[in-house]
Amino acid sequence: MTIVEFFQTLLTASFFAAILRAATPMVFAALGGLISELAGVINVALEGMMLIAAFFGVVGSTWAASVWPEASPLFFALVGAAAGLGAAMLLALVLAVFYLEFDANLIIAGVGINILAAGLTVFLLFSISGDKGSSAGLTSFALPTLPLRLLQDIPVIGGLFAGANGNGHHVLVYAALLAIGLVWVFLHKTRLGLRLRAVGENPDACRTVGVPVKRIQYVAILLSGFLAGLGGIYLSMGYLTLFQANMTAGRGFLALAAIFLGARSVFGTAGAAAFFGLASVFAAQLGLLDVPTAVVFSVAPLVTILALLAFAWRRQRRTRAQVAAELITLNARRKDTPDAQA
Amino acid sequence: MSSIAGGQGSVLQEVIKTLVVIVIGLLIGMVIVLFISEEPTKVFDAILTGPLPSASTLDDGTVRWRGMTRFGTFLEDSITLALVGLAVAIPFRAQQFSLGADGQMFLGALASAVVSIYLPLPGIVLIPLAFLAAVIAGFAWGWLPGVMKARAGANEIVTTLMLNVIAIQFFIYCVTFLMLDRQAGFIVTPFFQDAAILNPLIHRTNVTWMIAVAPLVCLLAYLFLSRTNMGYELRVVGQNPAFGRRMGMPVDRTVALSMALGGAAAGMAGFHIANAILKRLPSDFPAGLGFEGIVVALLARNDPRLILPAALFYGYLRAGAQVMERTTDVSREMVLVVQAIIILLIVSENLLPRLGQWIGLGRSAR
Amino acid sequence: MQNEIVLAVDGLGKTYPNGTEAVKGVSFDLRRGEIHAIVGENGAGKSTVMKMLYGLEQPTTGRIAVAGQQVRLTTPQDAIDLHIGLVHQHMMLLESLSVAENIALGAEPVRGPFLDRAKMNREVAEVAATYGMNIDPAATVARLAVGQKQRIEILKVLYKGARILLLDEPTAVLTPQETRDLFKAIRGLTELGMTVVFITHKLVEVKEVADRVTVMRDGQVTGRVEPRDVTVAKIAEMMVGRPLSHKPAERRSPDLPASVTARDLTLIGLDGRVRLNRVSFDIRPGEILGVAGVEGNGQAALGQVLTGLLEPAEGAARIGGTVFTGRGVAAARALGIAAIPEDRIHDGIVTDMSIEENFVAAEYRNPRFSRRGIRDRNAVNAATREMIAAFGVKTTSEQTPIGALSGGNMQKVVLGREFTTQPRFLIAAQPTRGVDIGAAEGLRQQLVDLRDAGTAVLLISADLEETIALSDRIIVLFKGQIVAHFRAEEADENVLGLYMLGAERKAGANGCIDQQPEHAHV
Amino acid sequence: QDIQSVAFFVNGTLGDKSFFDSAQRGMDRLGGELGLETRTIEAGFDPTRWESALVDLADSGEYDTIITGTFTMVSYVEQLSQEFPEVNFILFDGIVNYAECGCENVHSILFKQNEGSYLAGVLAATLTTETTDSLNPDPVLGFVGGMEIPVIQDFFVGYKAGAESVLTGPTMLEQYANNFGDPAIGKEIALAQYGQGADIVFAVAGGTGQGVLEAAVEQGRLAFGVDSDQAAIFAESNPEIANRIVTSVLKNVDNALVSAVTRIQAGENLFGTAEAQGLETGGVGLAINDVTRAYVSAETLSRLDEIAAQIIDGSIEVPTAF
Ligand SMILES: Nc1ncnc2c1ncn2[C@@H]1O[C@H](COP(=O)(O)OP(=O)(O)OP(=O)(O)O)[C@@H](O)[C@H]1O
Ligand SMILES: Nc1ncnc2c1ncn2[C@@H]1O[C@H](COP(=O)(O)OP(=O)(O)OP(=O)(O)O)[C@@H](O)[C@H]1O
Ligand SMILES: [Mg+2]
Ligand SMILES: [Mg+2]
């Protein structure tokens, strides 16, 4: 395949759909991470929270099907989703209790949570299905794909809503897009959002005006568990319809990076997560060009690092320019009004 | 987060607290084992005495030692753990949350492999050269995020995680395309030259003179931190960079140096794994050891003097866990779960008082 | 009505978890409409009492009664519900948020889960107007001056309906004029029936404004007086436990050529704001040049430029002819520059390290203390002991973490460290801020001794009394420019205040010796 | 030599739906059918532990025979066979260098996965031309490998040769995921290959391959599985997926192990030798099941049988990656 052909494939709606698909889990997790980061609690355990949600999503749906065999697959999937989200939030609660009650170091506790999730999912998977690798032996149910006919009929951009094969995108893809807006509204338009950001900036100041700092940090960590959980169940009940040991494969860590790459703003973070999605789609497709995958997989982290450096460089250059400009106006002013001095 | 820089509180107090928490963690693990295992006594035996060799007298009266390998695994593992523990502890002392030990270790191993495979030199030169190459590679890969932090304020958690990915992919690329042993049938470099391979000190193990190097490095790290100006700067900058700046200390250089020194220790771990244990490098070199380093650093409260005991303890635990997963019905995943619980408990500065408070609710309410 | 007791504490005690017995059996009461001052040395327990009244700390013993009802205050919200408000010793503001958000935080008007920003701004403006403190609700706090921030702190409390205001050292950073404005506002509040408690180290203020004074020492109440009845010296004696001899430093202006010459120092901040605008001055060896100015007008920036932390955009300062600005801290220190930072905890010490390791920080590379990068711990230890003796640091050992010392003792170590370097030029920023009268006297004497040994000193202090008492000459900074230059004996707090607020300015003023200092007649 | 107790050393974990699981089925049969004492040790994915765990196992003296697989273990087995002459080793999917190490106590079993793949290539090429709803007039065939290693490449080489024996110049998409455990990447790659017009994607990628199967469902295209009969694995739990897996290239490690042990029990001395299991011995093959029969005409099936016979008798020579 030639480069030209390759780039032609990039410009199709299905490529756009692929980016959305790949970005969705990271958008969720990054938004979750952003919320807790803004509340002053960096969440290194996004990975583990996603993983545990992915697992319980699958197991929950299987379980629902065995308990209420006559109900609909959508119901099974919803039960699974609830189980997955519940599990992720439970894990978030563990992190919160250890950090907020037991004064555990946040980063290391996060690492511990990740190990816990990795061990627990495989252990339970084996106990339930007798298989350590994946849940292939279980019948699990995915959340549905939603065609939005009205939007798809819009000329030109309608194609973006077509999804991979005209059936629209997965519900959670829409949910992720919606979540970007909702998180922004939450952070900037609600009382809880204001308090949350205030807690992150100066907890002591909040305490003195009666803002319950600890309670708000609990809420922030649980919310980040909830959003990471959405990312997790998307992986196992949308992107794929199975659980695979360690199937998050570092997406939680990329989500964490996205927060910083996005300069801790909602849209920046979502944009950075989308970029990581793009990079992973590239990684999958560049293979067709005979580029070694090792090179392709290095692109996203490399760009992240370069972007962080570029931010810093631009910031420095901008302040230097600002200082220089101010000096010029200052000198001009001095010349205009020589008697400011005399 | 200040607790992580360590150094405060009496050492004895910290050690006792750590021990109590470890005991609690182990007890919780044992309770779990009681629930899931049908042979709990065998499990406890495996985890507590598994790493030790056993002697048996044969019919002809000769004594046969079995399990030297297990004992060796325990020692080998402890060496690696001590080095990656140091790799985490030194940056932590400067208040840098480096999660980059993994990548640094990969590159250290790779650099050592290049020397060990391709330079036709006698062992007496080759081994020190390979060691040096590993140290320099680790140093450089640690220095990089250090400079980015110091100069550009780039969050080191993010940069080190990203640099890990890059290092690992680079490693895979090198092994797959540049150093591949085409005869092997899997993705691996050729065996190192014999001269580059460290000789085992104990039969059937890979315990080599690295067993002397690891404690020596810990000692050097301790002397560096406590006796040298640079070590002093590192501690000051870790606790209060603004103060360091006002005292005219080279804060940026110190931040970068702390990460680079951590990287050097990680590079040594890479050398140990490459030249003492694997003797060639497969593309699926073990990732995740950096996180184990965090546990060791934590157990040792970032004090280089305690790194070795902590590594030995943790190494023993891990070796016991391996014996357990190989000889009993408890799976390796359960070991991970128990390990995670111990980590969580150990980092909980306030665990005992808070638990006491919860248990004695009635009393504290008064 | 005037005598109605709105709050009473009885036998209040507090032992911190680390064993510090900060407050022991304190009793006092507050009457409606009074201004009640609480004075005491550092660590006397004043802030701790306030925190207990505000629900931030729980008393270990004793009772608190509000309007005759015994109460338990477990969170600030409990106190707020009882109409008690605390303005902290340190500013507690969210710099990135707006004035209105800061003021309303904790009691934000909402519509459902959403903030009602319009209502919030309106209400904040109303409250501000009611109490005569005009302020723009939409402004970002980071951009405001200290005096305005102080006002926000008080509005925060009033907005939440406080009737009892606890003000912990509200005047520490204010000019006399701002202080007077504040007192006027406080008077207004008490006339509306509110009760104000304020803590201060400035006894003159107490005399000026308080209806009653409670004196604390060592966690206990050692005196309850009406300031009308006693002298300042008497209150000071109750605080310290012994009479204080208050003799002003003897001045001697040496007629030597200047050793430190700063010319046209200009600094532009990262946000493009002009922090220093052509600041020029000279200091002779053995001379103290005082800098007066409201916080935020360039004193801190001046200190940071002179210590080498920041590079000036224009201009330079020389010592003995050698430029020492813009070359980094280490270079400046090598030329004999020393500095006492204004924020002791943040910039002056490493709390978790020992006195010894804090002491050696300025000179650890000196061959006295290290050779070839290897530290000589015995030498450090010996020198530390010497310093502890010379400066009278109260400690059990030189290995004690410095964070365990009281503020005054910490400051002694900081001074000890900088003085031991035998500097040619010392920049002393707020050398006695937050230090009690007794310790402050000692520190001032040390400063004077250093001056007498021939060191040039730049004294930056928010305490005008101190500036006037110690300096030989005084410059006033306003918006980064020198607006006046006085001989200290001719300066007067009120006149200085006018310049500090920008109400008066001398065109082209600078602090050079060839510019004849002005006489203080306005 | 008598075999009584057998330990299976897994340099990884079970659950790969691939040859480790297949080998484990063999172990189960050794325990059940032959009544041997068996034990499986999962050493995990950390290569620094493999050598010592294997030594420990040999040293324990509890098992007279150790079974282990993959080329990764070759050098360890070579070394240990000399150190522990009293222990027997059976190595599958790898071969020791008998000339150099002697290895009198090692039996090596290789699989000619290229032969099975050749048949898969023929079948894929036939299907893609028979399928009328093909998007792409030029035949395109996909292949997703786990890692670029000879054992996996061997599958591709055979697959390609088979396809080329039917069609002239089919487009062969060959891509490696660098990972045996990331189904999401597998799915993304497969979607891309389907997007390139591939009707069939052959997944030789362990867990990563499950993503390929899901992509097939989503795109309504076809997939080939590997090692075990993957349609059978999914038949009950997920018929939608099973119905997309036309066939799987089988690597019957279980059969090979059971047969080797049985022959040794019967007195045949296999130690010190290597054997290659191909179509002839039933070590590899194509899974033919209901799904296969639903997609493939009877005549194509019988043609596959003919080709298999030709491979066995040597009239067709299948290229290999080794
Ligand atoms: N959180 C705390 N934990 C332990 N000790 C404390 C704590 N806060 C204050 N202390 C100690 O309690 C004593 C009283 O402190 P407090 O802050 O009440 O003094 P203060 O009178 O307000 O002093 P200052 O004039 O310096 O503000 C001091 O010895 C102080 O070191
Ligand atoms: N050019 C600069 N380069 C780097 N940092 C700067 C620069 N200008 C100002 N800053 C930073 O901004 C902070 C505030 O400076 P600013 O000039 O407002 O202080 P100031 O007016 O002297 O304060 P105050 O007198 O209230 O203590 C300084 O402490 C410094 O850290
Ligand atoms: Mg106080
Ligand atoms: Mg200023």
Side-chain angles (χ1 to χ4, degrees), chain A:
Chain A
M1 143 178 252
T2 67
I3 304 226
V4 176
E5 281 171 336
F6 177 74
F7 278 99
Q8 278 168 355
T9 68
L10 295 193
L11 298 174
T12 60
S14 78
F15 184 72
F16 179 75
I19 295 171
L20 282 185
R21 254 194 331 259
T24 293
M26 282 178 288
V27 168
F28 277 127
L31 288 175
L34 176 68
I35 287 179
S36 65
E37 165 70 20
L38 287 180
V41 187
I42 188 171
N43 187 350
V44 198
L46 293 171
E47 179 89 0
M49 293 174 188
M50 288 172 88
L51 191 63
I52 206 112
F55 175 76
F56 278 98
V58 163
V59 172
S61 74
T62 307
W63 175 81
S66 70
V67 178
W68 299 285
E70 67 292 339
S72 74
L74 179 62
F75 172 76
F76 303 149
L78 288 176
V79 172
L85 293 176
M89 289 175 75
L90 199 65
L91 208 59
L93 184 66
V94 171
L95 179 68
V97 167
F98 271 88
Y99 172 57
L100 296 173
E101 304 295 342
F102 300 153
D103 279 353
N105 176 285
L106 190 55
I107 290 164
I108 301 173
V111 170
I113 295 276
N114 287 336
I115 296 177
L116 185 69
L120 203 61
T121 48
V122 178
F123 175 74
L124 293 176
L125 180 65
F126 183 71
S127 313
I128 292 170
S129 71
D131 188 331
K132 281 187 174 183
S134 77
S135 66
L138 304 175
T139 311
S140 68
F141 300 86
L143 291 163
T145 290
L146 267 192
L148 296 182
R149 297 281 172 228
L150 275 180
L151 293 175
Q152 283 177 38
D153 290 343
I154 303 172
V156 191
I157 62 161
L160 301 183
F161 299 95
N165 39 11
N167 293 333
H169 299 290
H170 191 263
V171 275
L172 288 178
V173 171
Y174 299 120
L177 292 174
L178 206 60
I180 300 171
L182 288 179
V183 167
W184 185 83
V185 169
F186 167 71
L187 286 172
H188 295 277
K189 296 289 168 198
T190 69
R191 184 175 79 165
L192 187 55
L194 171 71
R195 291 184 168 193
L196 193 143
R197 287 181 294 131
V199 164
E201 180 172 334
N202 186 346
D204 284 336
C206 292
R207 228 167 263 132
T208 58
V209 292
V211 170
V213 171
K214 209 193 232 184
R215 208 184 311 157
I216 285 175
Q217 289 184 329
Y218 265 111
V219 170
I221 297 173
L222 286 176
L223 269 179
S224 83
F226 177 79
L227 283 164
L230 278 173
I233 59 173
Y234 172 73
L235 276 181
S236 69
M237 308 181 71
Y239 206 176
L240 297 162
T241 317
L242 56 85
F243 175 80
Q244 166 93 25
N246 193 28
M247 75 186 299
T248 43
R251 288 178 180 83
F253 290 118
L254 282 180
L256 189 67
I259 298 169
F260 292 90
L261 189 57
R264 299 167 90 235
S265 78
V266 174
F267 297 112
T269 301
F275 163 74
F276 288 142
L278 175 84
S280 76
V281 173
F282 256 105
Q285 311 218 346
L286 267 180
L288 294 172
L289 279 184
D290 235 1
V291 179
T293 41
V295 174
V296 182
F297 284 128
S298 302
V299 169
L302 203 63
V303 169
T304 304
I305 287 176
L306 292 179
L308 287 180
L309 295 181
F311 286 166
W313 182 67
R314 217 182 50 180
R315 205 166 40 224
Q316 278 166 11
R317 216 182 42 159
R318 201 188 307 146
T319 52
R320 229 176 291 142
Q322 211 166 7
V323 167
E326 188 56 40
L327 195 62
I328 291 167
T329 51
L330 183 66
N331 280 322
R333 226 173 9 202
R334 284 168 180 160
K335 236 173 271 143
D336 290 351
T337 52
D339 79 347
Q341 299 286 310

Side-chain angles (χ1 to χ4, degrees), chain B residues 136-172:
Chain B
I136 291 173
F139 187 92
W141 207 244
W143 182 79
L144 216 58
V147 170
M148 291 194 273
K149 171 71 180 287
R151 287 295 180 76
N155 181 306
E156 77 275 15
I157 300 176
V158 173
T159 53
T160 51
L161 283 172
M162 297 294 112
L163 285 172
N164 280 351
V165 177
I166 295 173
I168 292 171
Q169 294 300 337
F170 179 71
F171 178 95
I172 291 173

Side-chain angles (χ1 to χ4, degrees), chain C residues 295-300:
Chain C
E295 273 210 356
N297 279 281
Q299 315 85 307

